[in-house]
Amino acid sequence: MSEHQPSETSFPDCQHFALTWSIPESYAGMTSALLRRSRSFVQEYGAATDVLTFDSDTDYAVTRKVVADRGDVIQGVRIRNMWEELRQFSNHQLGRKLFERVEAPFFSPLAPGEGVVAGKLKRTRSNDAGAIVQADHFRDDGTLLVSDRRDVSDKSWPSQRVVTLCDRQGRPVHTWDSPRPLYFFWLDSVVRKDPSVMIVDSKTVGNFLHEYKRHNVVTLYLLHNTHFKKGGSSSVDVISALRGPALRAMDHYDGVIALTASQKGDLGYLLGDGGNLHVVGNATEGPRLASTDRVANSGVMLARLTPNKRVEHGIKAVAALRSRHPRATTLDIFGHGEIEAEIASLIDGLGPDSGIQLRGYQPNAKDAFATADYSLLTSRFEGFGLVLVESMAAGCIPIAYDIRYGPADIITHGVDGYLVEPGNIDELAATIREFLSLTETRKAEMREAARKRVLDFSDQRIAARWSEVMFTAIEQKRPPEPLELTASPAILEFAADDTVRVRVRVTFDRPTVGTPIFHLVLRGRETGAFIRHTARSVRVAGAPNSFDVRADVPPAKYQWVARDVLDLSVDVRDSAGAARLRLHAPHDVGASDHYGESHGGALAYITNLGNISLRMH
């Protein structure tokens, strides 16, 4: 749909924001998807979208020009930065009141000449180990905007961090023990009192925005990559430390969005669905016209040169194929990254006739799909695999490892692409050979099927899906209400098949808002394991704020954890709030109870504080 013909179908009539930590100069992947989605909201529905950023080191005047030159923003999409805007605030906007004296404990800004200049408007101080322990931020006129200390050791202060916001004369206005209230101060100025939807794209922002609770703001957390620490080879594994804080607090978001149905399924199995899990894929441009310039037997890879992408697998597969069939295929690799030198060395070691070229980073690299026969994706894990649909849009047949997540959600094997056993270089080489051996008629059929599949990821369809998710979240949103819980002593039992059975009565300190959802939580102390299991609940007769809750956790869901202690809690979410409560044991535990016995590698025991835990062998 043209940007000049916005759809007349429904879209939330409110402010729209996309939140990310920063926009790097050589952006791709997540940032490209974020900008495309923001453009589509304008083009499809006429809904202006502001992209909000929080980093202090990027020159956003340069960034805006780079993004504009690449055609990734249009009228109606703005890129905004917290530090830029705070520097322009008046004393009134900063909260300065006449004759008010603000207490600012541990406020000790860097003296002129002290510290190291870190850009035009920032100076830092480091400790003997080289870690930054203070960062002072300034306005264009040289006055102090924010002093951020990270080395406070006074026990009267709740953390090592002291963040002080200053007025236009450099005098303290607000002091906090973390930067989050500063972020929220700015967001309040952006949102004002107007209804708003915030889509959180960055894992960094996602790890704190669940604390931003405003009655007029719907928050949606979008996962752009796997939630597992090592990519995950099954539906149960340790959650990535980078996404753990957000996912452990997923009930506090109005929506959590996966890019694929398979990831939503894994999230729901491992973490439970609190009624706020959704799927929305990434969008791409529509199918391109069939190219008449396609180079026969040519392959292409677009990837960051990092260990996760396993670009060397593509190189080795092509090299193995050419060792048996010297003219079988060529491979062009576009991208840069931390192992670029290693990749270049690997290619050089194959000699001048390897047929493999490292092309470096190019903003228009995806144009190579229009002339290549096939593309390769060899990652350990992905969130979606946007390069797959970009390749298919150009009729370039994708050959991808069948990893979590994306390839199997996008490709129908043998119809519009190929799926290969992850890590199997021999099978990868054989699949390339299989495709190149097809008749031109069969290749053309696959290219047409690939282009047709891409229609499912058009801007129009993906924007419409976002509209559905937003309306659902808005409809379920209620004014936030603090939620406190009390619980009876919990009963824990092991079934004959090692299923963990827990029963507990949970009481709200207020009337429930909507239908509450309960989960049993098992959280590891050392490994980072975090498991939630959906529980059944029945409202107690004569006690409308109390529920009898029961959860039966199958062994496959917890026995994968080894050499750790799992602490048991209950999570509760209703339409106005969420809370977590540690489960405690009865005072009169008897010999018939299952404490002190080992069942399937788990030993149930009572902690010194009287709480229930499982010690995993």
Side-chain angles (χ1 to χ4, degrees):
M1 181 175 292
S2 166
E3 64 183 271
H4 304 296
Q5 296 177 315
S7 171
E8 295 181 0
T9 57
S10 183
F11 199 74
D13 183 15
C14 62
Q15 298 183 115
H16 292 274
F17 301 100
L19 277 65
T20 186
W21 184 254
S22 65
I23 298 180
E25 184 173 346
S26 56
Y27 64 86
M30 182 202 80
T31 302
S32 295
L34 174 162
L35 293 171
R36 182 174 199 95
R37 183 189 70 231
S38 301
R39 294 198 308 274
S40 74
F41 289 176
V42 177
Q43 293 168 328
E44 301 298 330
Y45 296 103
T49 302
D50 285 353
V51 179
L52 307 182
T53 64
F54 295 81
D55 75 309
S56 62
D57 297 324
T58 300
D59 186 336
Y60 277 91
V62 174
T63 296
R64 292 184 187 96
K65 184 177 186 307
V66 169
V67 174
D69 288 346
R70 288 178 57 170
D72 285 341
V73 292
I74 60 175
Q75 186 175 359
V77 177
R78 294 189 300 176
I79 297 174
R80 302 171 63 175
N81 176 255
M82 180 184 79
W83 297 97
E84 278 187 347
E85 297 192 2
L86 287 178
R87 288 187 177 102
Q88 303 305 315
F89 275 22
S90 66
N91 280 352
H92 176 73
Q93 290 172 302
L94 291 166
R96 164 64 68 189
K97 298 178 181 178
L98 288 177
F99 311 116
E100 179 186 40
R101 184 177 183 277
V102 176
E103 294 293 333
F106 313 108
F107 175 60
S108 57
L110 298 174
E114 185 182 3
V116 175
V117 175
K120 184 175 67 171
L121 300 172
K122 181 178 175 181
R123 279 191 288 127
T124 62
R125 173 174 62 87
S126 301
N127 60 19
D128 293 340
I132 294 176
V133 294
Q134 182 165 346
D136 284 2
H137 303 261
F138 300 89
R139 298 180 179 83
D140 292 328
D141 63 5
T143 56
L144 181 64
L145 174 66
V146 171
S147 181
D148 180 4
R149 283 191 61 189
R150 307 168 191 182
D151 61 348
V152 174
S153 57
D154 194 301
K155 292 183 179 180
S156 67
W157 192 250
S159 76
Q160 291 186 306
R161 200 96 177 241
V162 176
V163 179
T164 305
L165 177 65
C166 299
D167 66 11
R168 300 199 66 83
Q169 287 71 45
R171 300 171 301 187
V173 179
H174 302 286
T175 297
W176 302 291
D177 62 4
S178 89
R180 296 184 181 188
L182 175 65
Y183 305 151
F184 298 165
F185 176 84
W186 176 57
L187 289 177
D188 284 343
S189 74
V190 170
V191 171
R192 302 178 301 277
K193 301 296 184 182
D194 300 324
S196 304
V197 172
M198 291 183 171
I199 300 176
V200 183
D201 290 90
S202 157
K203 55 183 176 290
T204 303
V205 179
N207 285 342
F208 65 76
L209 203 86
H210 58 85
E211 296 179 4
Y212 186 67
K213 297 181 181 299
R214 305 294 187 267
H215 73 277
N216 58 316
V217 178
V218 165
T219 56
L220 305 174
Y221 176 53
L222 173 60
L223 285 91
H224 280 271
N225 214 320
T226 177
H227 54 283
F228 291 127
K229 181 178 181 180
K230 297 180 180 178
S233 58
S234 70
S235 57
V236 290
D237 205 341
V238 175
I239 295 174
S240 162
L242 298 175
R243 291 173 176 80
L247 291 177
R248 287 193 292 269
M250 60 188 292
D251 283 349
H252 294 267
Y253 278 106
D254 298 301
V256 176
I257 294 90
L259 293 171
T260 64
S262 56
Q263 185 173 23
K264 176 181 180 287
D266 281 354
L267 282 167
Y269 179 74
L270 181 64
L271 302 178
D273 187 347
N276 60 341
L277 277 180
H278 307 277
V279 177
V280 186
N282 277 331
T284 189
E285 61 186 316
R288 301 187 191 183
L289 295 175
S291 174
T292 58
D293 300 322
R294 202 171 298 280
V295 179
N297 303 328
S298 62
V300 64
M301 293 186 80
L302 272 64
R304 296 190 311 276
L305 302 185
T306 62
N308 170 55
K309 298 297 183 179
R310 294 193 289 199
V311 172
E312 68 275 10
H313 284 215
I315 295 170
K316 292 175 181 178
V318 168
L321 190 55
R322 286 176 65 93
S323 70
R324 298 187 294 271
H325 311 279
R327 300 294 179 184
T329 186
T330 61
L331 181 66
D332 286 339
I333 301 169
F334 294 87
H336 67 170
E338 62 194 75
I339 62 169
E340 188 166 353
E342 297 171 35
I343 296 298
S345 177
L346 177 60
I347 295 171
D348 289 343
L350 297 173
D353 297 323
S354 69
I356 303 172
Q357 297 289 327
L358 184 58
R359 302 295 186 182
Y361 170 79
Q362 296 183 23
N364 60 346
K366 68 180 181 180
D367 290 345
F369 291 134
T371 56
D373 241 354
Y374 66 91
S375 65
L376 300 179
L377 186 146
T378 54
S379 305
R380 286 185 173 86
F381 56 85
E382 292 285 346
F384 181 73
L386 183 59
V387 292
L388 297 177
V389 290
E390 291 176 337
S391 176
M392 295 166 81
C396 180
I397 299 303
I399 302 173
Y401 280 164
D402 187 8
I403 54 168
R404 282 177 161 82
Y405 294 99
D409 294 87
I410 297 169
I411 296 170
T412 301
H413 181 72
V415 175
D416 48 30
Y418 294 91
L419 298 171
V420 176
E421 179 187 5
N424 192 330
I425 296 174
D426 290 340
E427 185 181 340
L428 183 64
T431 304
I432 296 171
R433 178 68 175 167
E434 176 185 344
F435 170 68
L436 295 179
S437 300
L438 297 177
T439 65
E440 290 304 313
T441 299
R442 179 68 187 114
K443 287 182 181 177
E445 290 173 350
M446 291 190 71
R447 298 192 202 287
E448 184 59 28
R451 292 190 185 93
K452 184 177 180 180
R453 174 68 172 119
V454 167
L455 293 173
D456 293 329
F457 304 99
S458 68
D459 287 324
Q460 184 177 15
R461 292 191 184 182
I462 297 300
R465 176 62 185 140
W466 272 112
S467 178
E468 294 172 4
V469 170
M470 290 180 194
F471 274 124
T472 297
I474 291 169
E475 182 179 353
Q476 294 176 346
K477 178 81 173 181
R478 298 293 183 273
E481 292 185 28
L483 176 58
E484 297 289 340
L485 305 172
T486 56
S488 67
I491 304 299
L492 182 146
E493 300 172 330
F494 286 96
D497 65 352
D498 295 329
T499 292
V500 173
R501 292 177 173 170
V502 175
R503 289 171 288 157
V504 64
R505 177 168 292 184
V506 176
T507 300
F508 287 60
D509 69 335
R510 58 165 173 75
T512 58
V513 181
T515 302
I517 298 172
F518 298 84
H519 291 96
L520 180 69
V521 178
L522 297 85
R523 181 171 181 176
R525 296 183 186 178
E526 303 294 336
T527 62
F530 186 79
I531 302 161
R532 294 203 324 171
H533 191 74
T534 303
R536 304 185 300 277
S537 65
V538 176
R539 196 182 296 267
V540 177
N545 295 340
S546 295
F547 295 80
D548 284 332
V549 179
R550 177 168 182 158
D552 298 329
V553 186
K557 193 163 182 178
Y558 73 90
Q559 285 182 345
W560 60 273
V561 181
R563 294 182 294 279
D564 199 0
V565 171
L566 298 176
D567 293 327
L568 274 62
S569 305
V570 63
D571 270 6
V572 183
R573 180 178 190 262
D574 72 1
S575 297
R580 177 171 297 151
L581 184 66
R582 189 77 161 89
L583 296 184
H584 61 282
H587 296 297
D588 55 346
V589 173
S592 63
D593 292 289
H594 288 233
Y595 299 98
E597 300 177 9
S598 184
H599 295 263
L603 175 72
Y605 77 98
I606 301 172
T607 70
N608 291 336
L609 296 177
N611 297 320
I612 302 175
S613 297
L614 296 179
R615 190 180 304 279
M616 306 301 297
H617 303 313

